[in-house]
Amino acid sequence: MKKLTIDSFRGKSVDEIKKTIKKNISAADPKINAYLEAFDIDKFEQGKGLLANIPFAVKDNILIKGMISSCASRMLADYKAPYSAFVIEKLLSEGAMITGRTNMDEFAMGSSTENSAFMTTKNPLNEEYVPGGSSGGSAAAVASGMCAFALGSDTGGSVRQPAAFCGIYGYKPTYGVFSRRGLVAYCSSFDQIGVLANSIEDIAMVSSVMNDKDPYDLTSYLDRELKELGKIKYTDSVFKSGIIGVVNTFEGIPVSPEIEASYKKLVGELRKMNLEVVNISPPFLEYAIPLYYVLSAAEAASNLARFDGVKYAFNKRSASYQKLLMKTRGEGFGREVKRRIMLGTFVTSSGYKDEFYKKANRLRTNMKKSYDALFSNIDYMLLPTTPTPPFKLGEKIDDPVAMYYSDAFTTFANIIGIPALSIPYDTDPKGLPIGMQVLSNVKRDVDLLTFCANLVRKLK
Ligand code: GLN
């Protein structure tokens, strides 16, 4: 299986690139099911710009004008996007070529891509295993040479976790680095678009193109350093000035022995480098999952209220509005989405909102303060990306809580808005990939990418 980087396409003609992509998609996708729809790339005309003719795939919750954006839901199965997401406009303006829409968990809710209403994506490294989720289609496409890079969305780990499961890199930036205009909202205060690729150089290049202040997303901002990051600087000085926090034990989080062994191995390697390694205990980490599921469900229930059978294409005509609503939602949403809407409605209902929603918000504020204090003493933090290696298809689908714990190490970054990068580091005894995650404080994305690129080069 050939992994493609942006550089591997440089100097090739647009026709050669199209041929490679079509060949790789027809060889791999009938088995993997990464794409909900592979586009007719023959229609693409020669691109101009920093990403001229570079093929990329798009998670199906990011709008591409005139194309279907289904969020892998029956609810939006025929919905055509009236405009393109801000980040799509940016990539197209630099000449990149869209290869298609990738499969995902419905409305980005899930960790295995098994919650898609349409099909199940398989892990390209072993088809009995899940590719992770919810951006599993994007991760599988990148890992099997069906595009150079892909966009995903990360609300609680959905870029980093599938990247780890498919043996590639996954970057979730500081909240606001990429505009969310044109990303279908799940939990607006956590959602960030992210990049999946085969190298950190590629992530940096794509991010420099996508970052900008968008007048239609007031949470977005221009990060001048990131915008100007043409090439990563390779220098030992990033180690001399950086302090990295590592953990001794994973308190309150069940971690599999393979992950623990890999983590310890990496910490050992870090200690041998000219780098200051300190022990930390990440504050409130064991509460991240319950906190995430209270707040994300609350926002999801509110965001998904728009799918009422009136405003969007899918509807079940009925005698009354009440019946229309019930039938449209009953048939349009899948099991997991309904579960989140019910949970979100419950935690915000009168009589319970103080106990759940408000309490979770207070904890979120405390978490932010505690991590800010922690990051005044360290520059980076190292954690595994996931508590277990990839699991088998069907293994966790009937146990939602076990599924939720796939994100035990990722959700807190969304809760406090910090950047994080998942790096393919190791393999388990079955040969399946293990990812490690480096995190930093808000707005330190360029330092994070530079540090990680240097680290990866050193580890080789
Ligand atoms: N797995 C988490 C969830 O189901 C995270 C999803 C995401 O980041 N979109 O909500």
Side-chain angles (χ1 to χ4, degrees):
M1 198 160 25
K2 196 165 159 23
K3 288 188 180 174
L4 304 169
T5 57
I6 292 179
D7 265 353
S8 67
F9 287 108
R10 297 282 187 212
K12 299 234 164 83
S13 75
V14 65
D15 290 332
E16 260 178 288
I17 297 176
K18 287 179 184 171
K19 215 168 118 192
T20 307
I21 292 300
K22 283 193 284 187
K23 195 178 90 204
N24 292 359
I25 292 180
S26 53
D29 213 34
K31 286 178 281 171
I32 305 297
N33 286 339
Y35 285 99
L36 282 169
E37 182 190 1
F39 293 167
D40 177 7
I41 51 176
D42 282 330
K43 287 195 189 134
F44 179 85
E45 283 166 22
Q46 177 75 36
K48 264 204 226 98
L50 281 171
L51 295 170
N53 309 322
I54 301 300
F56 74 103
V58 181
K59 186 177 183 178
D60 204 28
N61 58 351
I62 300 173
L63 308 191
I64 305 165
K65 189 174 177 177
M67 307 311 273
I68 286 177
S69 269
S70 75
C71 293
S73 178
R74 251 186 300 277
M75 191 61 97
L76 291 173
D78 304 312
Y79 172 72
K80 281 206 177 133
Y83 62 94
S84 284
F86 184 77
V87 295
I88 297 288
E89 282 174 2
K90 288 276 175 189
L91 293 170
L92 295 183
S93 74
E94 289 296 345
M97 168 168 75
I98 308 179
T99 52
R101 313 184 275 120
T102 54
N103 197 25
M104 56 184 280
D105 286 298
E106 186 177 8
F107 285 105
M109 297 171 189
S111 305
S112 66
T113 314
E114 292 166 296
N115 290 338
S116 165
F118 306 120
M119 62 193 199
T120 304
T121 300
K122 311 218 167 93
N123 191 316
L125 301 158
N126 183 332
E127 289 159 28
E128 288 175 21
Y129 286 79
V130 302
S134 61
S135 314
S138 288
V142 172
S144 51
M146 295 194 256
C147 56
F149 69 92
L151 301 186
S153 65
D154 192 310
T155 303
S158 280
V159 162
R160 291 162 283 158
Q161 187 257 17
F165 278 14
C166 292
I168 61 170
Y169 295 88
Y171 165 53
K172 174 229 154 329
T174 297
Y175 185 77
V177 163
F178 299 141
S179 159
R180 286 173 296 115
R181 169 154 59 111
L183 165 70
V184 178
Y186 157 18
C187 170
S188 314
S189 74
F190 295 173
D191 294 340
Q192 253 314 274
I193 289 173
V195 185
L196 301 108
N198 285 308
S199 81
I200 301 175
E201 297 277 348
D202 285 1
I203 286 179
M205 162 64 107
V206 170
S207 302
S208 74
V209 169
M210 298 203 317
N211 166 252
D212 214 341
K213 166 101 195 142
D214 173 4
Y216 295 98
D217 174 1
L218 295 180
T219 63
S220 70
Y221 68 95
L222 170 68
D223 176 340
R224 267 187 212 288
E225 250 192 295
L226 183 64
K227 192 86 215 149
E228 280 151 25
L229 186 70
K231 274 247 170 283
I232 300 255
K233 278 195 205 75
Y234 287 97
T235 154
D236 269 354
S237 63
V238 295
F239 295 120
K240 287 196 196 100
S241 59
I243 305 174
I244 187 159
V246 300
V247 300
N248 246 338
T249 52
F250 302 103
E251 258 163 74
I253 298 171
V255 175
S256 75
E258 301 92 317
I259 299 287
E260 188 152 358
S262 274
Y263 184 77
K264 295 237 154 97
K265 186 167 89 181
L266 178 54
V267 171
E269 290 194 75
L270 292 182
R271 288 197 199 277
K272 279 191 220 129
M273 290 178 191
N274 210 351
L275 176 72
E276 203 177 328
V277 182
V278 297
N279 284 329
I280 54 161
S281 47
F284 305 115
L285 190 58
E286 68 275 31
Y287 298 117
I289 289 292
L291 170 55
Y292 171 83
Y293 278 93
V294 170
L295 294 183
S296 68
E299 287 193 39
S302 154
N303 272 324
L304 268 53
R306 73 191 68 178
F307 303 108
D308 57 358
V310 177
K311 296 189 234 21
Y312 293 84
F314 182 82
N315 74 61
K316 292 277 147 194
R317 286 177 193 282
S318 310
S320 69
Y321 176 68
Q322 196 63 24
K323 283 208 177 99
L324 167 81
L325 196 68
M326 282 166 63
K327 277 185 130 179
T328 302
R329 292 192 174 168
E331 290 176 37
F333 288 137
R335 226 165 41 142
E336 186 59 31
V337 174
K338 286 178 189 156
R339 183 162 25 230
R340 307 279 176 111
I341 293 174
M342 286 192 285
L343 179 62
T345 308
F346 172 73
V347 298
T348 48
S349 60
S350 64
Y352 291 101
K353 67 171 182 282
D354 290 335
E355 201 179 329
F356 295 105
Y357 183 67
K358 288 194 176 165
K359 197 191 244 175
N361 265 320
R362 280 202 299 279
L363 179 54
R364 185 181 190 185
T365 308
N366 278 337
M367 257 176 116
K368 274 193 187 148
K369 282 191 198 141
S370 311
Y371 279 91
D372 241 1
L374 176 65
F375 278 117
S376 64
N377 298 319
I378 59 170
D379 296 284
Y380 309 105
M381 185 192 298
L382 177 76
L383 286 173
T385 308
T386 58
T388 69
F391 45 89
K392 282 202 162 153
L393 288 156
E395 194 179 316
K396 296 193 179 173
I397 198 69
D398 294 320
D399 186 348
V401 174
M403 189 71 96
Y404 295 170
Y405 269 88
S406 305
D407 292 309
F409 293 120
T410 47
T411 54
F412 83 102
N414 304 74
I415 295 169
I416 60 175
I418 61 172
L421 181 77
S422 177
I423 294 173
Y425 172 64
D426 209 354
T427 47
D428 75 356
K430 294 193 204 97
L432 293 161
I434 289 178
M436 292 294 156
Q437 188 188 198
V438 184
L439 307 103
S440 193
N441 205 359
V442 283
K443 302 201 172 176
R444 291 204 59 194
D445 297 66
V446 170
D447 290 336
L448 175 70
L449 294 173
T450 308
F451 174 78
C452 290
N454 279 278
L455 182 66
V456 168
R457 189 171 273 194
K458 269 240 149 75
L459 290 171
K460 270 183 187 154

